[in-house]
Every structure is written in structure tokens, then in C-alpha cells.
Amino acid sequence: MAGSSFCFFLLLLLSISALASARTQFVDRSVLAQQKADRVVKLPGQPPVNFRQYSGYVTVNETNGRALFYWFFEATDKPEEKPLLLWLNGGPGCSSVGYGEAEELGPFLMQKGLPELRHNKYSWNRAANLLFLETPVGVGYSYTNTTKDLSELGDEATAHDSYRFIVGWLERFPQFKSREFYIAGESYAGHYVPRLAEKIFDLNKRVPPSKNINFKGFIIGNALLDDDTDQNGMIDYAWDHALISDSVYHDIQKYCDFSSAEDNSTCDRLLNEYYSVYDIIDMYSLYTPSCPSSGYSRSRKKIHGISPKVLSRHAGWHKKPAGYDPCISYQTEEYLNRPDVQEALHANVTKIKYPWTHCSDAIETWNDAPASMLPVLKKLIDGGIRVWVFSGDTDGRIPVTGTRYTLNKLGLPINRDWNPWYTYHEQVGGFTIEYEGLTFVTVRGAGHQVPTFAPRQALQMIKSFLDNTKLPKSPFDTWT
């Protein structure tokens, strides 16, 4: 009798195990089918690679039909062991695919003079599984079926949809759910990244543990963080780099109040004179040439409501950045508007009525943009989140001068003061200062888009950030 009971119990356990296995297999097959649908086999003009890539859409609001476009690359080596890194470009309204992937740190960069791709040997997927997101809706291939969504955008709406994207993406790629998750970005991502980080940080405390995102830290470069110090830093940097006269510099200090949104005709005249130098020199990279005539326009539509309050009233503040090859952006736009490229990327499935552009003309209003992100940074630092800030030191748009003023306002204790760090070739890569809870890194000779201008240094920096190790403090440290 006892033997019969035991056999029955054993059969019951086996049946339950088989049912669970079948259910798991069903879920796995469903997930794999979604992943297979997003798999990018090969893009037109793409060089051969040994890693997998995926792209497509994650719906973030079914009622309104909002969906965000992503492009994902597994790490080049041991992707099952590498962290997951999300990259965001700023604007607001500029594409992480067009800038981040195709012109900065992605595995495929645009060929000079050809509508084809070349392999980037300094791609950040050498350090992590790399995810690019076009956010908010209206940017790049991301879309909404509800027109009014485009008039309701702002920092909070962007963070909300980006969070929904991450949750949805991890459901589609559950093999990455337990990985350490980091966020990186530049420029107006100085708002995007901390706001998204704060949302993850707060919601991780409220959702069930099974829904937690394994978020560890973020790194932001040439980042818009504080209106007053960022703007004062722009003017000081221009004078210090011999771009404006003493009289213009002192008159701006006298007549311009960067904390005010009120009209001031004298200040406006002076700022127009300040901006005029950037008609002949690239604001985003002082020492690289401008593109003489490519058909690619650097101007973009003004977005009302974004900070800063004074400088953003001028057209010069709204120029699009360009890379080390200042004409390459024209080729990027040509490539990403090709029907065969869009088909290979599973992009533009709704046939958006406007062409793909680096920075969206569909976004005209921005509804919330805090004057300072420092309270958010302080909150996350106190919460144990790893925070790095970096700055290319030849950028006049959000210059290293302004970022240093900004970080000084945090009032953090200094653990290790200003020191050089070294590249693998034993050259000075830049300088670094370690605060209590925050590391600041300069990248020598780099413009606004640091990975474009200093790819080797940028890859070394992101590896150190992800590994939570210090950058080499002497040439000899780079040998090991």
C-alpha cells in the first residue's frame, strides 16, 4: 500500500513537472518568435559581423498607439556575461540611431562618400550589450497614432514612455532581465537620463521584485544639467578660447541675467554677436572644419519651453551637432530614408508622413524642463547609484567650463582631486576628479559627441565605468 502511494506521488510530481516544462517551453517559444521577428539578418551595405542585432518597436501606450523604435546589438564577446547599456541622445527630439549608433559609438558607422556602413572597431558593444532608443515619439522612426501626443511632450512624458519601453523590451528579451543595467547619453540627455534613472529607482521600490530592473548607474556627457551654470559656462568658455572680444564678454556679464526669462533687447543684441562666431566655427567642436556645402542643414526648428530661458531664444542655440566628418550627417539621413534599409530594420511600418531626420521637426513644444537636474543627481547619488559625468573639452555648446561650475554647486566632498588619466598608448586622455559618489572625466581634444572625436578614449572610459574601476592614473598603469 505504501509502495502504491509512493508511486502515485511520484507520478503526480512528474506530471506537474512535465506541465510546468511544457508551459515554460510555450512561453520560451513565444518569446523566441518575437525575437526572431526583430532579428536583423543583414543591412544594405553592411560589413560582416559575428554578433547578433535586432530592431523594431515596443508599444508604450496601446490606447494612443505610441511605439518607440530601438536598435540592439549583442556584445561582441560573451554577451551572456556582459551588462546591458542603453544609449540616449538629447535634443530634445534628436535620434539615438542617427547620432549615437551611426556616427558615434555604434558597431556600424556611415562610410565617407558612400551610402554604406563600415565597422567601428571602437564600438561600445565591445564592453556591453548595446541598446539604442529613439525617444520620445516623433523622433526618428518612433511614432504615435494620436497627433495630440506631440504637443504633450516633456521630460516627464519622455521618462514615462522610456520606462515603459524598458519594461516591454525586457519582456521581449528576458535573457537580459537579470543583467546589470546602465544608462548613458549626452547633451539634453542630461535631462533624459537622470529623469529615467529616478523613475526606475523609485518604481523599483514599489513594484514586485520580479518586476525590478537591475539598475546600477548612469553616465552622461557634455550634459545640460543646470541652466545658470551651463549658460554662464558657454560665455566664459567662448571668451577663454578667444572667440569673443573683451567688450562683448563684459557687456554680456553686465546686461544678461541667465536666470530670467524676460526680454532684454540689449542682452539679445549681445548674444546675437556672441552667436555670430558660430556661423563660421563649429560650436560643437571648435577645431574641426565645417561642411562647405552638402545640402544638409544644421538649423532646426525652435522648440518652445526647453531651457535655458535666455540663450534658447536665439537660433544659434538650436543648431544640430555634426561629427568629425562634418558632411557625414547628410549621408546618414540619405541612408536611413532608403526603403530597403527601413525594411531590413523593421522600421517605418506605419509609413510616417515625414522623412527620418536627425532631429525631429514634428516636436515644437516641450512642456516641462526643470531649470536644474542637480536635486535629482543628489538623490540618486545618496541612493547608491553609480554616477559619472564626462566632457569633451573642445565643445562650445555645453562646455567643460559650465559642467565644472555645475558640479561645484553639488558641494560633494572630493576624494581625489584633479589628475590626468592615460590611454592605452600612454598619452594623456584627459583629466578626472573623484567626488564622494560621482566621478567627473574630461576627454582631451573631443567635441560635443565624445565617441566621434575620441573613440579610443571613449571606449576606455565606458569600460572603466561599467567595471567600476578607476581610469589609469599613470602611463604605466595602462600596460596591465
Side-chain angles (χ1 to χ4, degrees):
M1 191 73 176
S4 299
S5 299
F6 176 77
C7 289
F8 173 79
F9 181 67
L10 182 60
L11 286 170
L12 181 63
L13 285 177
L14 289 172
S15 299
I16 293 171
S17 176
L19 182 63
S21 176
R23 185 176 299 161
T24 302
Q25 188 177 25
F26 172 76
V27 172
D28 287 348
R29 284 176 178 172
S30 173
V31 167
L32 288 173
Q34 288 182 307
Q35 293 182 15
K36 184 178 180 181
D38 284 1
R39 179 77 185 272
V40 177
V41 178
K42 189 176 182 181
L43 291 163
Q46 176 202 303
V49 292
N50 61 356
F51 52 81
R52 287 178 291 190
Q53 57 176 318
Y54 302 81
S55 64
Y57 289 93
V58 172
T59 299
V60 295
N61 186 302
E62 291 188 4
T63 303
N64 288 16
R66 288 204 303 273
L68 299 182
F69 180 80
Y70 79 90
W71 194 354
F72 171 66
F73 303 89
E74 289 189 350
T76 57
D77 181 52
K78 298 181 179 178
E80 68 280 359
E81 298 177 7
K82 295 289 198 303
L84 176 63
L85 177 66
L86 172 69
W87 174 268
L88 299 174
N89 278 88
C94 294
S95 168
S96 302
V97 166
Y99 284 121
E101 197 298 310
E103 297 177 18
E104 296 187 65
L105 57 112
F108 303 128
L109 303 179
M110 293 306 303
Q111 286 271 30
K112 182 176 181 178
L114 292 173
E116 294 183 355
L117 304 174
R118 63 181 176 88
H119 185 249
N120 176 16
K121 65 180 180 178
Y122 299 113
S123 171
W124 285 15
N125 75 325
R126 291 181 60 183
N129 296 287
L130 188 56
L131 178 60
F132 295 93
L133 174 63
E134 292 194 308
T135 187
V137 291
V139 174
Y141 298 129
S142 294
Y143 68 88
T144 177
N145 294 329
T146 306
T147 304
K148 71 171 185 176
D149 283 347
L150 296 174
S151 63
E152 296 177 349
L153 297 175
D155 285 10
E156 175 55 30
T158 302
H160 174 81
D161 279 1
S162 297
Y163 176 81
R164 292 289 300 273
F165 166 83
I166 295 166
V167 171
W169 191 89
L170 288 173
E171 289 175 357
R172 190 173 302 179
F173 292 88
Q175 64 266 41
F176 293 97
K177 194 172 189 317
S178 62
R179 304 294 175 80
E180 291 189 345
F181 176 65
Y182 298 90
I183 315 173
E186 70 189 13
S187 197
Y188 197 81
H191 282 227
Y192 286 170
V193 173
R195 289 295 292 272
L196 176 57
E198 181 183 34
K199 188 164 288 289
I200 296 171
F201 180 79
D202 289 343
L203 290 176
N204 270 353
K205 298 174 183 177
R206 304 197 327 237
V207 300
S210 61
K211 299 289 186 181
N212 270 16
I213 296 170
N214 191 18
F215 178 56
K216 297 298 182 182
F218 64 87
I219 178 170
I220 42 179
N222 292 85
L224 192 75
L225 290 171
D226 183 270
D227 285 2
D228 290 345
T229 48
D230 286 338
Q231 292 175 102
N232 280 302
M234 289 175 73
I235 305 304
D236 287 356
Y237 184 88
W239 177 81
D240 190 53
H241 284 73
L243 300 179
I244 57 175
S245 68
D246 291 358
S247 61
V248 168
Y249 174 65
H250 292 304
D251 285 347
I252 288 175
Q253 287 186 315
K254 181 177 180 181
Y255 293 106
C256 293
D257 178 5
F258 292 123
S259 63
S260 172
E262 295 180 5
D263 288 330
N264 180 328
S265 59
T266 302
C267 177
D268 284 345
R269 177 183 58 78
L270 291 165
L271 290 178
N272 282 331
E273 192 168 347
Y274 155 78
Y275 275 120
S276 67
V277 73
Y278 293 124
D279 291 333
I280 56 175
I281 293 174
D282 190 351
M283 173 186 279
Y284 291 90
S285 180
L286 299 191
Y287 306 114
T288 52
S290 299
C291 187
S293 58
S294 65
Y296 174 73
S297 174
R298 293 286 299 281
S299 63
R300 58 179 301 217
K301 188 180 293 185
K302 290 184 182 180
I303 299 177
H304 302 284
I306 55 174
S307 54
K309 305 304 182 191
V310 175
L311 287 181
S312 64
R313 290 205 296 263
H314 297 256
W317 197 85
H318 296 268
K319 283 183 179 178
K320 300 175 189 176
Y324 191 78
D325 178 350
C327 303
I328 205 73
S329 290
Y330 176 77
Q331 291 158 349
T332 303
E333 292 198 358
E334 181 182 12
Y335 184 82
L336 291 174
N337 276 298
R338 285 172 51 177
D340 57 342
V341 172
Q342 294 179 0
E343 182 179 1
L345 287 172
H346 322 117
N348 199 16
V349 293
T350 59
K351 303 303 177 187
I352 302 169
K353 63 182 180 181
Y354 45 83
W356 185 97
T357 57
H358 281 79
C359 298
S360 175
D361 287 332
I363 299 173
E364 299 180 351
T365 303
W366 202 253
N367 292 299
D368 64 292
S372 179
M373 297 305 298
L374 295 185
V376 178
L377 261 63
K378 188 69 167 60
K379 170 184 175 179
L380 296 172
I381 290 168
D382 291 344
I385 299 299
R386 188 183 313 161
V387 178
W388 280 33
V389 177
F390 65 94
S391 187
D393 63 12
T394 67
D395 175 29
R397 178 62 186 80
I398 306 178
V400 62
T401 308
T403 301
R404 293 178 77 178
Y405 292 161
T406 299
L407 296 181
N408 285 339
K409 284 178 73 172
L410 277 171
L412 298 172
I414 296 173
N415 291 341
R416 184 169 180 264
D417 212 339
W418 200 257
N419 277 284
W421 64 274
Y422 288 82
T423 68
Y424 297 123
H425 284 181
E426 303 171 44
Q427 299 294 314
V428 174
F431 294 83
T432 182
I433 179 171
E434 296 170 22
Y435 297 98
E436 188 72 44
L438 183 148
T439 297
F440 176 54
V441 179
T442 74
V443 183
R444 189 163 67 100
H448 189 71
Q449 300 151 282
V450 168
T452 298
F453 298 98
R456 182 191 296 271
Q457 291 151 264
L459 178 60
Q460 184 174 354
M461 177 184 67
I462 197 63
K463 284 182 175 179
S464 290
F465 167 72
L466 295 172
D467 294 339
N468 198 21
T469 58
K470 299 181 187 300
L471 286 160
K473 60 183 180 181
S474 80
F476 308 104
D477 292 343
T478 63
W479 294 351
T480 58

